Amino acid sequence: MYKNLKMLLTVLVLSVMLCACQTQTDPEAVKFKNDVENFCKSLSDLDVSINGIDANSENAPAQLLEYLDEVDMRFKSFSELDFPADYDYLEKLADEASEYMTVAVESYHNAYSNHSYNEYTADYARENYSRAIKRIKIIISFLKGETPQDDSIVISYEETESK
């Protein structure tokens, strides 16, 4: 009897552990995590490229705009990701980040149009760029299980009705 009970407990513990492992290796969650990591890596690579532009070069504005077009495409792809159910609440932020980045890139194109530089348009572009990046930072914080520390962020919790 004791042997049977011990075997039953062992099987029960193993099955619980197996279920826990399956939750952590859910293919959808793993794919999402990889997609987010690839997005962050691609932004990091583009950041290195942008910072590597010789500001004194005649082609600097064209190079910058080309890299920014790529950043915009990456943001659009990120906003199209299918967020797992646990992170559905972050999809709207991803959409907003993409929208802000699109406005930023369009504004940068306008700021450098006609072989001149419009400081006011560039300032507007920078503001939208900052808004896009801020949303990505918030998303990453929540994905890491952290609560972003920013006075401009208001977090509200919905109360569920108990029956």
Side-chain angles (χ1 to χ4, degrees), residues 25-35 82-86 88:
T25 58
D26 173 30
E28 181 184 346
V30 170
K31 181 183 179 324
F32 179 71
K33 180 182 180 230
N34 289 337
D35 289 343
D82 186 24
F83 283 57
D86 290 348
D88 272 348

Side-chain angles (χ1 to χ4, degrees), residues 137-138 141-150 153 155 157:
K137 287 179 179 178
I138 292 168
S141 291
F142 278 116
L143 292 177
K144 288 180 176 179
E146 302 167 356
T147 302
Q149 300 299 316
D150 189 323
I153 299 172
I155 300 172
Y157 298 95

Side-chain angles (χ1 to χ4, degrees), residues 38-51 53 62-80 94-106 108-109 125 128-134 136:
N38 290 337
F39 169 72
C40 291
K41 170 92 171 81
S42 70
L43 286 185
S44 177
D45 292 345
L46 286 166
D47 182 56
V48 168
S49 297
I50 288 171
N51 287 316
I53 296 173
Q63 287 178 309
L64 173 64
L65 294 175
E66 189 176 310
Y67 287 131
L68 288 174
D69 287 339
E70 184 66 28
V71 169
D72 189 29
M73 287 186 348
R74 302 298 169 130
F75 268 72
K76 285 178 183 173
S77 295
F78 183 73
S79 74
E80 293 169 358
D95 293 341
E96 289 176 6
S98 177
E99 291 166 10
Y100 279 122
M101 186 55 71
T102 297
V103 170
V105 171
E106 289 171 357
Y108 276 120
H109 276 276
N128 281 284
Y129 183 88
S130 294
R131 290 176 181 175
I133 296 298
K134 181 176 185 175
I136 294 300

